Amino acid sequence: KIEIYWDNVGAPAVFQTDNSPFPGKIYKHLYPNFQVPLTRPFTIRYRAYSGGTCVDDSIKTIIVNAAPLVQFNNMPPTCLDAAPFQITQASEIGGVPGTGVFSGPGVTPGGIFNPASVGPGTYTILYSFTSTAGGCVDTMSKTITVWQPPLADFSFATPACEKQAVTFSDNSNTPVGTLTTWTWDFADGSPILVRTTGAPFTHTFTNYGTYAVKLIVRTSNGCNSVQKVINVIINPLPKPNFSTPAVSCLPNANVTFTNLSTIADGTPMNYLWNFGDPGSGPVNTSTATNPSHSYVGTGPFNVNLQVTSSSGCVYDTTIILNSIHPQPLALFNVDKTDVCIGSPFRFTDNSNPLDGTISQWNWTMGDGNVRNIPAFNYTYSFVGTYTVSLFIVNSWGCPSTTYTQTVFSNPYPPVNAGPDKVVLEGGFVTLTPAVNAGMPVTYLWTPATGLNNPIIPNTVSSPPDDITYTLTVTTDKGCSASDQVFVKVLKFPIIPNIFSPNGDGVHDRWEIGYLESYPGATVEIYNRYGQLIFHSVGYSNPWDGTINGKQAPLGTYYYIVNPKNGRKIMAGYVDIIR
């Protein structure tokens, strides 16, 4: 056997026994670690036995160098996005000079650890320290965990339109820790937005275009995600606009709207009109491009045009429609509604132009003629019933209602006073006018001398002398016409019984008073012998006292006068003297 005393001086009672030694066998001994002093001498006593009693010793002194003492504290987990960093948890704490070296995944010999080079996971890092004297080495290892980073993700609501709030929703998640910070970059020149909540929010882009919106999220462990980039297409808003006629007129103001809407990208657009006229029911809206709407009031009306682009962007505008004007009210006066043919009417405009002034008068006279002045006299050429109408146009160009009134150009009644009449003095005669008016009329005979009733057509006349009566017939419209009739009064003939046809110009002819007024009267003169010496039908040429052109002898002659016309025959004598 052998006995080895590894520290024969310091521990002489401590030894190692080997009962089966053989030549070349190697023995090892670990001396307790020390750092001070840097070297220590140890006396080794090697004793060999033979037979249990024979013994021999070999003693040698060795120098043992101090071993380094490595300390490696626990390393905290790190984020994948952390910058390469120096591991500071490992060191030699015994004061032994030498050199330390790191080894393991993601670490440089100098102890620089790069999380990005290994990725998420748990890795073992070894620290080895070799002393300068003797090359003594001490090592220790620790693990380091690289956290799985959070995953940034988001979405946004469509349609996304310029100048309108776009809603962004966070869809990020993390396997480690909790999300604490969201950093947004909208790439539109606005400041970076840092939020501490993942709740949905809005952002407004002032111009249309494509924006590379970026999101980085950070966890409670301080780990940042990889930047999430989504190209957000912000569509242009339509620019609604329209025009209306400068003037529209009631009663049914049909307003046509001219669509002037545009959009920057020239894409198609849809339209929804609200004419601001709720009383019109379902026709208050339209989807036409250039619609029209009939208004029955002057407003103003708030007309709204909502335009939707092909990408769904909606914008609207409201324009006040206040160009509707009320319908003027036509009215006129006429001085009378009935006149007699040939008499004028006086027409005078009395219209109300409402919110304007009158610029046009449009008269229709009912006989094919028109007038365009406010007041005038008008005479119809023919008897008839005429419907006169008037409408005006005011300074807004709005035509009025049409006002009508019926006027009558009345005929004069037919009048025929009848044939002239003859009446014996002291007698009477009935006037016989031709009465066929065909309309309500009144009669008036003037003068009323000798008449029994001057207001009936067939009046009875008993005038004292010849008279001319005028019959005036007047219709119920006041139109009068007149005619005359002559009444001859046949006075009793005055027959003289003496005359002197001596050429002195006095009583040269046998004048019979009033006989000339008896048409058809006959005069016969006889001599004493009964011979007819003068005969006359009518007595326009009285007897001049001659017989066949010779002077009749002086003496008495006999006559027979037949006045006729209701008079009895008159007979007597007449003397011729000279």
Side-chain angles (χ1 to χ4, degrees), residues 83-95:
F85 58 88
Q86 177 68 53
I87 297 176
T88 61
Q89 288 78 14
S91 62
E92 196 284 324
I93 61 174

Side-chain angles (χ1 to χ4, degrees), residues 423 425-427 449-450 461-467 469 489-491:
V423 62
E425 183 179 17
T449 303
S461 174
S462 180
D465 295 295
D466 291 352
I467 192 168
Y469 289 108
V489 178
L490 299 179
K491 292 187 176 286

Side-chain angles (χ1 to χ4, degrees), residues 31 54 62 128 131 192 203 224 286 332 344 437 467 518 552 559 573:
Y31 288 94
C54 295
I62 66 171
S128 299
S131 65
I192 299 298
H203 179 77
N224 295 314
S286 175
F332 64 84
I467 192 168
Y518 286 80
Y559 62 85
Y573 67 92

Side-chain angles (χ1 to χ4, degrees), residues 468-546:
T468 297
Y469 289 108
T470 298
L471 173 62
T472 299
V473 180
T474 303
T475 70
D476 59 346
K477 303 300 182 180
C479 299
S480 298
S482 299
D483 192 25
Q484 293 181 330
V485 63
F486 175 71
V487 177
K488 179 67 178 178
V489 178
L490 299 179
K491 292 187 176 286
F492 194 86
I494 299 174
I495 303 175
N497 58 7
I498 189 172
F499 75 107
S500 57
N502 56 8
D504 61 0
V506 179
H507 302 303
D508 284 337
R509 294 188 301 174
W510 186 45
E511 303 281 353
I512 301 176
Y514 303 119
L515 186 61
E516 73 280 0
S517 63
Y518 286 80
T522 61
V523 177
E524 295 176 347
I525 300 175
Y526 297 88
N527 60 22
R528 66 182 64 183
Y529 305 109
Q531 294 173 326
L532 180 66
I533 62 174
F534 178 85
H535 175 77
S536 172
V537 178
Y539 200 58
S540 58
N541 293 308
W543 183 42
D544 58 1
T546 62

Side-chain angles (χ1 to χ4, degrees), residues 73 82 112 119 164 178 208-210 294 381 456 509 515 559 578:
N73 295 325
I112 301 300
Q164 293 183 347
T178 58
Y208 70 93
T210 300
S294 291
S381 300
I456 62 174
R509 294 188 301 174
L515 186 61
Y559 62 85
R578 289 187 176 87

Side-chain angles (χ1 to χ4, degrees), residues 417 430-435 443-445 453-460 471:
T430 299
L431 303 183
T432 56
V435 179
Y443 301 90
L444 180 63
W445 293 93
N453 188 345
I455 60 173
I456 62 174
N458 298 107
T459 187
V460 175
L471 173 62

Side-chain angles (χ1 to χ4, degrees), residues 92-382:
E92 196 284 324
I93 61 174
V96 176
T99 303
V101 176
F102 291 90
S103 62
V107 68
T108 66
I112 301 300
F113 184 72
N114 184 4
S117 68
V118 291
T122 300
Y123 305 97
T124 299
I125 305 299
L126 179 66
Y127 182 66
S128 299
F129 192 88
T130 303
S131 65
T132 303
C136 297
V137 177
D138 192 18
T139 63
M140 184 175 283
S141 64
K142 289 290 183 180
T143 60
I144 186 170
T145 298
V146 178
W147 281 321
Q148 180 77 32
L151 180 64
D153 192 20
F154 65 92
S155 60
F156 60 95
T158 58
C161 308
E162 65 172 331
K163 298 180 180 62
Q164 293 183 347
V166 179
T167 299
F168 286 85
S169 298
D170 175 61
N171 301 324
S172 305
N173 62 80
T174 179
V176 180
T178 58
L179 297 175
T180 59
T181 305
W182 291 257
T183 301
W184 296 86
D185 180 359
F186 297 103
D188 62 348
S190 62
I192 299 298
L193 176 64
V194 178
R195 304 183 79 241
T196 57
T197 175
F201 68 101
T202 61
H203 179 77
T204 301
F205 294 85
T206 57
N207 296 296
Y208 70 93
T210 300
Y211 298 89
V213 178
K214 307 172 185 65
L215 171 63
I216 296 175
V217 294
R218 186 179 180 85
T219 69
S220 56
N221 299 320
C223 297
N224 295 314
S225 69
V226 175
Q227 179 175 266
K228 176 70 173 183
V229 180
I230 295 179
N231 286 330
V232 177
I233 298 175
I234 301 300
N235 299 286
L237 277 177
K239 295 180 179 179
N241 191 19
F242 59 90
S243 64
T244 59
V247 173
S248 298
C249 302
L250 293 178
N252 289 305
N254 190 270
V255 178
T256 297
F257 297 89
T258 301
N259 198 326
L260 304 175
S261 303
T262 60
I263 190 168
D265 59 3
T267 55
M269 295 176 286
N270 294 320
Y271 308 101
L272 177 59
W273 298 81
N274 185 308
F275 301 117
D277 187 13
S280 61
V283 297
N284 187 43
T285 60
S286 175
T287 56
T289 301
N290 297 295
S292 60
H293 181 73
S294 291
Y295 292 91
V296 296
T298 58
F301 299 96
N302 294 321
V303 181
N304 179 266
L305 170 58
Q306 177 180 285
V307 182
T308 303
S309 69
S310 59
S311 58
C313 292
V314 180
Y315 203 60
D316 72 315
T317 187
T318 297
I319 296 178
I320 297 175
L321 175 63
N322 56 7
S323 58
I324 298 177
H325 297 276
Q327 186 180 31
L329 301 176
L331 183 66
F332 64 84
N333 295 326
V334 60
D335 59 344
K336 46 191 171 292
T337 57
D338 285 281
V339 299
C340 302
I341 184 67
S343 296
F345 293 95
R346 178 67 179 175
F347 294 95
T348 304
D349 171 58
N350 196 27
S351 301
N352 184 354
L354 292 181
D355 65 345
T357 58
I358 299 176
S359 61
Q360 293 180 29
W361 291 267
N362 297 278
W363 300 82
T364 300
M365 305 311 297
D367 62 351
N369 291 321
V370 297
R371 292 292 185 272
N372 56 8
I373 54 178
F376 55 93
N377 293 330
Y378 191 81
T379 302
Y380 288 94
S381 300
F382 301 98

